Amino acid sequence: MAQNAFQPLQGMSDLTDPELGVWRRIEGKAREVFARYGFDEIRAPILERADLFERSLGETTDVVTKEMYSFTDRGDRRVTLRPEGTAGVVRYVAGRGPEAQDARLYYIGPMFRAEKPQAGRKRQFHQIGVEAIGPPDPYADAECIALQMRLLAEWGLSDCALQVNTRGLPEDQRAVSQVLRERLGPRQAQLCEDCTRRLDMNIYRVLDCKQERCREIVAELPPLTEFMCEPSRAHFAQVRAALEQIGLPVNVTPKLVRGFDYYVHTVWEITHGALGAQDALSGGGRYTLRFGQKQIEGVGFAIGVERVVAALQTKAAQAESCAQAPELWLVSLGKEAIRQNFALLEQVRANGLRCGMLFGGRGMKAQMRAANKSGATRVVIRGPDEIEKDLFILKDMQGGGQRTLSRQQLENELDVN
Ligand code: AMP
């Protein structure tokens, strides 16, 4: 069998313990913080109709044109593995009655983008995100940014950098596009191949290009807010004032637009210095999306879990995951010991303890090695002698000592019955 038959697809990973211990801690803390801010969970499907993303993210965005895993399902419907979480949540909200008009929802789960895999860029990655549905209000935007910064700080990442900008209203975006066309058109020859196409298709995407030469040209443009109407500028000023009021002053990043077309008003990105080239931990913004007769407005963010884990790769974070080590391990010599330990295993687990035992009829040495590797603090050893007398050897893996106990003594010791 080819070697790669044992590997997951490129850009995808088998996630296992002990690293998953860090993931559980991240997710657990997120749920706790979301409850504090009044968000409920949604688990939307991972597979959706392709046109949901095409319409919501924008037909000419990189994700839609190059990165979606789309295929035709059993009928002739085109479906897509979700590349992001907002479209599905907004679809759900649009399908509900007035009770969902101020919905506050969070999600945790996998996303799929067929990007070129590289460090920090996966094809299956995981996001933790929120959507706060409701009409534009600078306080809602500021609250969403504050929630995200709080979450990152409680995970142990208070050393993040926040970049904020505004995209203004859709009418501002038309005015800004016009200015961009005038300024960038004459420089077409200097832009990358993708951006020459973007000039006609979706000029905003030039602002988001990662190529060095395009970034230099973009840096020379004036701040986009100069071409926006007064209400848009006022909205943004109020967001900044609200953030300042709660101790989160922001440096405006005047060319930040983010990768999807649904954004209006405030957009932001959070980076972390430890991450290298792919340094974005998280991004968010205010959006407006039309579903049939309904226009859904809201503000939200998505945090990349892999990148949070990478930024957290510290000893302390790793150590916490060891809290999942078994409290007891059972070692058996001979068939009858296996039979009886199997019942003890279930009894101990039923009493709420983490307990392990190696199957496969392996020898004493292999079983002790497994006990050691598991990190169990105590081991029960039983051979034919102990079985005959209904005794149990209890070995302390940290101190090294051992005692022989009766069944009653063992049950008292472990607090099981
Ligand atoms: P986006 O949905 O593009 O705004 O991304 C939000 C966050 O998800 C980013 O800041 C990253 O932390 C993470 N992310 C996006 N794409 C990937 C990817 N291909 N691999 C790993 N993480 C990603």
Side-chain angles (χ1 to χ4, degrees):
M1 198 182 268
Q3 182 59 37
N4 63 10
F6 303 107
Q7 303 292 332
L9 291 172
Q10 209 191 6
M12 306 198 176
S13 300
D14 296 311
L15 297 164
T16 55
D17 278 320
E19 194 192 0
L20 271 183
V22 181
W23 285 61
R24 281 188 292 270
R25 186 174 75 84
I26 288 170
E27 292 171 5
K29 177 59 76 178
R31 291 178 198 284
E32 191 192 311
V33 173
F34 290 151
R36 225 184 290 161
Y37 282 71
F39 284 80
D40 290 326
E41 184 172 6
I42 177 167
R43 298 190 192 188
I46 288 167
L47 199 60
E48 297 266 10
R49 269 189 281 274
D51 68 350
L52 171 70
F53 300 109
E54 290 160 356
R55 278 190 298 111
S56 309
L57 312 190
E59 308 262 1
T60 55
T61 55
D62 279 358
V63 169
V64 169
T65 54
K66 301 188 213 163
E67 297 169 2
M68 294 212 303
Y69 283 101
S70 299
F71 54 95
T72 305
D73 76 358
R74 287 164 167 274
D76 54 3
R77 206 174 23 189
R78 282 179 53 251
V79 292
T80 297
L81 285 171
R82 66 178 183 196
E84 59 91 65
T86 302
V89 175
V90 172
R91 171 196 52 66
Y92 163 80
V93 169
R96 314 288 297 180
E99 80 279 6
Q101 67 188 11
D102 291 309
R104 290 160 75 84
L105 298 166
Y106 77 86
Y107 58 85
I108 298 179
M111 306 292 160
F112 301 84
R113 294 183 198 170
E115 298 192 74
K116 196 160 156 249
Q118 49 181 281
R121 216 171 252 298
K122 312 282 294 179
R123 288 181 166 173
Q124 177 176 334
F125 58 99
H126 298 76
Q127 288 186 337
I128 295 179
V130 306
E131 311 297 345
I133 306 302
D137 182 330
Y139 283 112
D141 300 8
E143 182 204 35
C144 201
I145 294 174
L147 160 58
Q148 201 174 356
M149 296 301 275
R150 165 94 35 233
L151 191 52
L152 289 163
E154 296 210 7
W155 282 333
L157 297 173
S158 36
D159 49 345
C160 300
L162 170 66
Q163 290 111 46
V164 182
N165 195 24
T166 179
R167 289 189 43 153
L169 290 160
E171 45 272 37
D172 292 312
Q173 298 187 16
R174 282 191 284 278
V176 170
S177 299
Q178 182 58 30
V179 174
L180 292 176
R181 239 172 265 123
E182 285 162 20
R183 309 267 174 134
L184 294 174
R187 308 193 66 175
Q188 183 166 3
Q190 294 157 271
L191 295 168
C192 76
E193 210 177 301
D194 275 345
C195 281
T196 22
R197 258 180 288 119
R198 288 170 180 150
L199 283 185
D200 294 326
M201 291 201 332
N202 188 343
I203 203 158
Y204 257 83
R205 299 273 66 82
V206 179
L207 300 178
D208 206 33
C209 182
K210 302 291 177 280
Q211 300 278 339
E212 200 47 47
R213 55 187 162 144
C214 300
R215 289 173 78 131
E216 281 167 18
I217 294 171
V218 165
E220 291 168 24
L221 296 169
L224 309 183
T225 37
E226 277 185 20
F227 312 100
M228 292 181 188
C229 65
E230 186 41 38
S232 290
R233 290 203 239 176
H235 181 103
F236 192 38
Q238 285 168 34
V239 173
R240 291 187 335 252
L243 287 169
E244 201 145 312
Q245 194 190 344
I246 55 171
L248 282 174
V250 292
N251 287 320
V252 176
T253 308
K255 311 292 163 45
L256 180 77
V257 290
R258 308 221 353 101
F260 303 134
D261 285 351
Y262 52 51
Y263 289 116
V264 290
H265 288 304
T266 325
V267 285
W268 65 89
E269 210 153 80
I270 295 176
T271 54
H272 193 274
L275 288 179
Q278 305 300 326
D279 63 354
L281 268 183
S282 165
R286 172 159 288 286
Y287 50 82
T288 178
L289 279 165
R290 173 162 285 283
F291 275 83
Q293 295 306 306
K294 287 193 184 168
Q295 191 74 33
I296 307 292
E297 298 179 293
V299 60
F301 64 72
I303 305 182
V305 181
E306 280 81 357
R307 297 204 189 159
V308 170
V309 172
L312 272 177
Q313 288 300 0
T314 62
K315 294 230 158 30
Q318 292 291 351
E320 248 182 85
S321 67
C322 293
Q324 292 303 311
E327 290 146 313
L328 188 70
W329 194 271
L330 306 184
V331 169
S332 334
L333 290 169
K335 280 209 171 96
E336 185 53 22
I338 294 175
R339 199 183 72 80
Q340 290 199 20
N341 273 353
F342 182 68
L344 179 62
L345 181 68
E346 192 57 24
Q347 183 194 349
V348 172
R349 286 172 174 167
N351 277 273
L353 291 186
R354 293 188 296 273
C355 185
M357 169 171 164
L358 186 66
F359 294 127
R362 316 279 296 278
M364 170 88 174
K365 249 193 181 161
Q367 292 186 60
M368 285 309 290
R369 227 181 291 125
N372 247 321
K373 189 165 165 237
S374 76
T377 44
R378 295 193 287 185
V379 174
V380 163
I381 304 167
R382 305 192 79 198
D385 270 5
E386 287 74 30
I387 294 293
E388 200 188 314
K389 299 177 191 143
D390 204 25
L391 293 175
F392 301 76
I393 298 172
L394 183 65
K395 186 173 164 67
D396 175 353
M397 297 297 273
Q398 276 154 358
Q402 64 181 52
R403 288 171 294 153
T404 301
L405 306 178
S406 69
R407 182 175 289 273
Q408 190 58 55
Q409 285 170 320
L410 179 79
E411 287 181 354
N412 292 345
E413 186 86 20
L414 299 176
D415 199 17
V416 302
N417 45 53

